[in-house]
Amino acid sequence: MVSVHNRKFISADPEKCVGCQICEYACSYSKEKVFNPIKSRIRAVRVNQVANMAVTCRLCEEPACVAACPRNALSQSKENGSILIDKDKCNGCGWCIEACDYGAMMLHPETKTVYTCDLCKDKTEGPQCVKWCPEEALTIVTSDVLAQKARLSAIKKLFNEKP
Amino acid sequence: MLIYFFTAYTPKFVGGTGLLGYAGKVLHVNLTTASSHVKKLDEATAKKYIGGIGLGMKLYWSNSKVGVDPLSSENPFVLAVGPISGTMFPTGGSGHAFVSKSPVTNLLGTSVSRGTFGAEFKRAGYDAVVITGKAEKPSYLWIDDDSIQILDASALWGKSPEEVEDAIRVEIGDFYVRVASIGVAGENLSKIACIVNDRTRVAGRTGLGAVMGSKNLKAIAVRGTMDVSVSKPDEFFSLVKDFHERMKGPAVQKYRTMGSTENLVHLNDMFCVPTRNYNDSHFQLAENIGSSVINERFVVKIIGCNSCAMRCEHEVLVREGIYKDTLTRIEYDSLWAFGPNLGVDRLDVIIKAIERCTYYGLDTQSVGGVIGFIMDCHGKGLLKNNSAAVLLEELGFVPYFGNADVIIPLIEHMAVREGIGDILADGVKVAAEKLGSDGDDVDAFGSLAQHVKGLEATGYDLRCLKTTALSVAVSFRGADHSRSGAFMLDLSGKVDRLKAEVGRGKLVEELEDIYNLIDSFIICKNAKGTLYKDVEDLAKLYSAVTGKEITSEELKLAGQRIETLARLINIREGLTRKDDTLPWKVLNQPITDNNCPTKGQIVTQEELNLMLDDYYTARGWTLKGTPTKKTLQQLELHELKNITITTKKEEG
């Protein structure tokens, strides 16, 4: 199993995210060949004009969604930590949706099974939302690197260096 | 449900069924009978009128009678999106257009807004909705894909658009419901009321909020869950990629960085900022409210509309003082309306004024125009023996230019039509008539009301921007710089801005056509600079999305067709050449500022006549401004020719 330290997930920088929903379009098109936010694995959330952020699967350690599934339809990929869904076992009961604190697990409008971010592992160029985000607000990154970045930017601010 | 609806009109597409450009459906809602039905949108009509304002005008034309009162149940109200709506094309996902007869001009009214509402409406499976009749009690229209309901809005009456949006989301139980709503001003039938969506996005001009109010229609709420697809994905995505790059480049840098408020400094340097209701053309205090101050001290975030890769919406927050915590959006036009136009240099008040206008659902530019007018009336001593004087005295303030303290109370009074507010709530033209009828000063008041066709003037001094002056005079919706963007020609020096000459008509015509297409596709005017090849770029986009080949020439024709259709609607409603005029001061009061290099400038009636002749000729209209038979035939509008014949008979 890939260690939680090496697990890369899609992170949105709320400072940079402008709520344009391009990630939703890129995702739904990449996965389903249509533009439809309700078929996107990543969702842009605008609470008000100044509070914008896109949310998707965090690849949690001991993921609550996997634990919640009574039919063993969910498991965590040993390779990259993403959540694998056995569509044959999933009956759309929604316990994993309730269990996820981030709203990253969703029920598909047509298949009636759950789906979530798979990090576009079939794409050589990586996650499509990251590729298309015009604000460079999305990155595929580990928690450790996020922490490094946060530290750097805090210290730069302290010394009035350019970010 | 999904398949049931779309197999009928659109082909199957890889990965499922999807809307390819057009949904192929127009929803018709009758509020009087609380009924609705769907009509097919045929391909020929779609291609002819494109979508957005073009399609909206066509639907307005087909569903309206001549000479109806804009605020009666007989006036149809159209909401339309375009073939690009709901796709990932940058700024394509965001727009929606309203079309109806405007209560402020009594002519064609159109207004486009952005945000997320248009894309949602498209995904509900419609290209347009035509709303007729009048609801028995306050209602809102709930479009949930193919389920159409007219729901009770009694509890929403009196609330702001933002409150309405929140309340409807709670009532329906879906955070992603998108709402376009009127405020108190629309309920009170203020002829300068607007329609607000996504909290800060506004279909501001021509008073269409009052049309909704007159129908007891507080809001339109929409949730769309259907797929939108494109016909040629490879071509489409290469266009998207290309435009993402263009949007990072110099063409839209202003919008990405300082925002449209940067215009103020440029325009002021060129002495073409109408100041104190057109008394001057240069605002000496402009630096105090310039974009650098705005960005340093007030901007807290720049956000984007749906699908936009340039994002330009500057959110401003007042951090201290009596208006502390006011959060809204700022653009040049609103800044001008409450700043230079009123001689005011207090950004906290300007920001509060914009926020209050959005709260009450009033068009900032028209409101600024009205307050500038009343300040001018005061300055000229016209309010002494007038009922307005008593009403103003009751309020305890004196509306002199620069008095920032009167702005917010005046807006509040206009929204609820209290006291002086009732006189001002219908725009400058009505206000001048009301005040003038009190005594024998009709002309004195009229000369201070800066409008064209009833719609208030905007922040470009037309006396020294003569191509812009022509474009504003002929704009089908009244005083408005954004029907052609001709100011770019004047400001960039591509033409001599102080000269009225033959040739300007053609320039304005070409720009209008492109703007008509932009508002019909619908994409964003702020991103116009990224259309390096104008119509050619649009033709590529149209084909990639719809799969229907269209040439640049066909698209140009469509742009001309939309303008001429607007003209036909206006002629039908009684417009003649004499309505293509300019604000009184532009024609009669030269720039007097001694420091101003454009001192003495004015647009004379002769200059205007010359440019009008030139423009009409370029359009293929007679010198009376009526489209000729030949032009109608070229534009395939000949089935509408009866209108020109009828008009002539009426004139004779």
Side-chain angles (χ1 to χ4, degrees):
Chain A
M1 171 68 85
V2 59
S3 148
V4 68
H5 292 284
N6 297 326
R7 220 174 274 159
K8 284 183 175 179
F9 56 91
I10 311 285
S11 158
D13 183 342
E15 295 274 316
K16 291 182 182 168
C17 180
V18 299
C20 68
Q21 300 177 278
I22 286 176
C23 51
E24 296 180 351
Y25 284 133
C27 180
S28 73
Y29 201 88
S30 158
K31 290 293 174 196
E32 320 224 0
K33 297 282 175 270
V34 292
F35 296 117
N36 196 344
I38 63 164
K39 292 182 179 173
S40 168
R41 277 74 177 152
I42 185 168
R43 297 292 172 89
V45 179
R46 178 176 285 173
V47 180
N48 58 46
Q49 300 102 292
V50 290
N52 292 278
M53 198 168 153
V55 191
T56 189
C57 179
R58 310 285 297 177
L59 318 186
C60 311
E61 181 76 353
E62 292 181 17
C65 55
V66 174
C69 182
R71 297 167 66 92
N72 294 325
L74 304 187
S75 58
Q76 188 161 30
S77 159
K78 288 194 168 59
E79 187 193 332
N80 64 9
S82 68
I83 305 300
L84 306 172
I85 297 150
D86 185 335
K87 283 184 188 165
D88 294 333
K89 285 186 185 165
C90 175
N91 67 350
C93 76
W95 275 18
C96 55
I97 296 173
E98 278 182 67
C100 179
D101 288 335
Y102 309 98
M105 191 61 78
M106 290 161 286
L107 188 63
H108 195 281
E110 278 149 23
T111 65
K112 312 297 179 200
T113 55
V114 295
Y115 66 107
T116 191
C117 173
D118 68 355
L119 302 169
C120 289
K121 56 180 182 290
D122 54 329
K123 293 269 192 296
T124 48
E125 54 197 342
Q128 295 299 294
C129 55
V130 176
K131 177 189 156 192
W132 283 101
C133 176
E135 300 304 320
E136 295 171 12
L138 298 176
T139 41
I140 176 157
V141 70
T142 63
S143 301
D144 290 352
V145 171
L146 276 180
Q148 286 177 9
K149 280 186 179 170
R151 280 195 294 275
L152 261 170
S153 93
I155 303 307
K156 276 181 179 170
K157 208 171 169 184
L158 194 66
F159 288 95
N160 284 324
E161 297 266 340
K162 275 182 187 167
Chain B
M1 183 176 71
L2 194 88
I3 290 162
Y4 168 77
F5 261 97
F6 288 98
T7 41
Y9 303 126
T10 51
K12 285 229 169 197
F13 189 67
V14 190
T17 344
L19 303 170
L20 296 170
Y22 296 99
K25 293 198 301 180
V26 176
L27 176 66
H28 289 253
V29 176
N30 186 326
L31 294 172
T32 308
T33 57
S35 60
S36 73
H37 63 275
V38 171
K39 280 189 185 168
K40 194 177 163 180
L41 174 71
D42 64 89
E43 202 180 306
T45 307
K47 216 171 163 181
K48 245 173 115 172
Y49 300 98
I50 308 296
I53 62 164
L55 179 62
M57 284 177 202
K58 166 66 181 156
L59 290 168
Y60 183 80
W61 173 277
S62 309
N63 290 281
S64 59
K65 284 188 283 184
V66 187
V68 295
D69 174 357
L71 300 182
S72 72
S73 63
E74 288 183 299
N75 189 25
F77 177 72
V78 185
L79 156 67
V81 292
I84 311 306
S85 302
T87 73
M88 190 180 161
F89 186 79
T91 80
S94 61
H96 61 280
F98 295 106
V99 177
S100 190
K101 185 170 173 182
S102 158
V104 75
T105 63
N106 272 306
L107 299 168
L108 175 68
T110 66
S111 201
V112 173
S113 176
R114 306 180 188 285
T116 61
F117 182 85
E120 198 72 32
F121 178 75
K122 179 66 165 285
R123 286 193 294 271
Y126 308 101
D127 297 306
V129 51
V130 180
I131 301 170
T132 51
K134 179 184 179 176
E136 209 176 315
K137 57 179 180 184
S139 303
Y140 73 94
L141 178 62
W142 167 223
I143 301 171
D144 183 12
D145 286 343
D146 54 334
S147 156
I148 309 300
Q149 293 179 66
I150 297 160
L151 298 176
D152 184 14
S154 305
L156 304 176
W157 213 245
K159 288 197 183 334
S160 74
E162 180 175 327
E163 291 161 349
V164 170
E165 183 182 278
D166 289 345
I168 289 180
R169 283 175 171 175
V170 169
E171 182 172 304
I172 289 168
D174 186 342
F175 182 78
Y176 288 90
V177 172
R178 309 296 183 183
V179 178
S181 165
I182 57 168
V184 172
E187 295 171 13
N188 291 330
L189 308 184
S190 159
K191 291 182 180 179
I192 52 174
C194 64
I195 305 163
V196 184
N197 61 284
D198 294 283
R199 288 171 188 250
T200 49
R201 308 302 309 192
V202 177
R205 307 237 72 195
T206 69
L208 299 182
V211 176
M212 277 179 75
S214 73
K215 297 190 172 311
N216 265 334
L217 182 63
K218 179 68 179 174
I220 301 170
V222 60
R223 184 76 165 111
T225 64
M226 297 184 189
D227 297 338
V228 171
S229 302
V230 291
S231 180
K232 301 176 195 164
D234 291 347
E235 283 162 45
F236 178 78
F237 273 98
S238 93
L239 276 170
V240 173
K241 200 177 169 204
D242 196 8
F243 275 80
H244 272 233
E245 286 306 313
R246 293 184 194 187
M247 285 183 176
K248 287 175 191 155
V252 291
Q253 195 192 3
K254 176 178 83 184
Y255 297 106
R256 284 191 64 86
T257 54
M258 301 304 264
S260 63
T261 54
E262 201 182 67
N263 294 357
L264 177 59
V265 186
H266 294 321
L267 289 165
N268 209 41
D269 285 349
M270 297 178 80
F271 293 81
C272 41
V273 175
T275 302
R276 296 174 200 91
N277 198 40
Y278 263 89
N279 283 329
D280 299 300
S281 62
H282 182 79
F283 187 43
Q284 276 147 343
L285 305 171
E287 261 185 36
N288 300 345
I289 57 168
S291 55
S292 46
V293 183
I294 292 172
N295 280 278
E296 270 164 37
R297 292 189 25 211
F298 294 93
V299 172
V300 285
K301 176 95 183 164
I302 305 173
I303 62 170
C305 292
N306 183 296
S307 81
C308 181
M310 59 181 258
R311 94 278 184 282
C312 69
E313 186 180 329
H314 287 58
E315 300 298 325
V316 280
L317 177 72
V318 179
R319 295 170 204 265
E320 55 196 4
I322 49 168
Y323 301 130
K324 192 172 184 285
D325 293 336
T326 301
L327 174 70
T328 192
R329 152 188 175 225
I330 199 161
E331 300 294 345
Y332 168 68
D333 311 281
S334 308
L335 172 69
W336 166 80
F338 297 116
N341 184 44
L342 307 182
V344 166
D345 70 339
R346 272 185 54 191
L347 272 170
D348 60 335
V349 177
I350 294 169
I351 290 168
K352 186 67 186 175
I354 298 168
E355 188 269 341
R356 285 289 92 184
C357 282
T358 315
Y359 182 88
Y360 291 117
L362 284 162
D363 173 22
T364 51
Q365 291 176 81
S366 289
V367 169
V370 172
I371 299 178
F373 162 77
I374 202 77
M375 284 178 168
D376 212 1
C377 292
H378 171 81
K380 299 279 192 305
L382 291 177
L383 297 178
K384 279 180 185 142
N385 306 312
N386 207 293
S387 56
V390 183
L391 293 167
L392 284 165
E393 208 164 286
E394 277 171 13
L395 288 176
F397 54 63
V398 187
Y400 55 87
F401 281 119
N403 184 359
D405 295 336
V406 308
I407 299 174
I408 308 301
L410 275 176
I411 293 172
E412 284 166 352
H413 280 75
M414 284 162 72
V416 297
R417 283 190 178 276
E418 229 175 68
I420 185 83
D422 190 39
I423 295 172
L424 304 179
D426 294 320
V428 284
K429 188 171 172 238
V430 174
E433 283 162 8
K434 279 184 178 170
L435 291 172
S437 68
D438 236 19
D440 47 9
D441 272 343
V442 188
D443 291 343
F445 283 106
S447 68
L448 303 185
Q450 303 312 298
H451 68 87
V452 177
K453 301 180 173 81
L455 190 70
E456 289 73 13
T458 59
Y460 298 81
D461 198 319
L462 304 173
R463 291 172 292 198
C464 50
L465 298 169
K466 294 195 175 168
T467 324
T468 317
L470 169 64
S471 78
V472 168
V474 297
S475 153
F476 62 74
R477 68 173 188 179
D480 181 15
H481 58 278
S482 67
R483 288 262 29 91
S484 73
F487 55 90
M488 288 309 297
L489 294 174
D490 285 326
L491 294 172
S492 65
K494 278 186 185 154
V495 295
D496 180 350
R497 65 187 172 105
L498 302 180
K499 205 169 169 190
E501 61 186 355
V502 171
R504 300 296 167 92
K506 185 75 188 158
L507 292 174
V508 169
E509 184 232 336
E510 281 171 1
L511 274 172
E512 277 179 342
D513 293 345
I514 293 167
Y515 271 57
N516 286 340
L517 292 172
I518 287 176
D519 276 349
S520 298
F521 260 68
I522 302 169
I523 52 174
C524 180
K525 278 177 196 155
N526 283 0
K528 191 200 165 266
T530 59
L531 296 171
Y532 293 163
K533 292 182 178 170
D534 290 332
V535 182
E536 210 178 301
D537 283 340
L538 290 173
K540 270 189 204 164
L541 178 60
Y542 191 91
S543 305
V545 173
T546 63
K548 296 167 183 69
E549 291 304 321
I550 199 161
T551 62
S552 302
E553 282 63 40
E554 282 177 285
L555 266 187
K556 275 181 196 162
L557 268 186
Q560 293 168 15
R561 184 178 298 123
I562 292 164
E563 191 68 34
T564 292
L565 176 60
R567 190 71 181 185
L568 290 177
I569 295 175
N570 278 347
I571 290 173
R572 192 184 74 165
E573 301 305 324
L575 171 126
T576 61
R577 175 174 170 134
K578 71 170 173 40
D579 296 302
D580 288 343
T581 184
L582 288 165
W584 190 90
K585 288 190 182 181
V586 176
L587 287 170
N588 297 288
Q589 187 178 301
I591 295 171
T592 50
D593 191 342
N594 280 327
N595 302 317
C596 179
T598 53
K599 190 185 172 198
Q601 282 295 329
I602 197 171
V603 181
T604 64
Q605 188 63 50
E606 289 71 37
E607 285 178 318
L608 180 60
N609 284 342
L610 178 132
M611 291 195 290
L612 282 181
D613 288 350
D614 189 38
Y615 171 82
Y616 294 154
T617 310
R619 277 256 166 252
W621 300 348
T622 67
L623 294 187
K624 281 186 171 175
T626 310
T628 62
K629 236 182 208 177
K630 193 180 152 202
T631 301
L632 293 181
Q633 236 145 21
Q634 269 170 357
L635 300 176
E636 296 169 80
L637 285 170
H638 41 285
E639 79 266 32
L640 310 179
K641 71 170 183 277
N642 290 341
I643 175 63
T644 49
I645 294 161
T646 329
T647 315
K648 270 179 199 156
K649 267 184 198 160
E650 279 165 3
E651 277 171 5

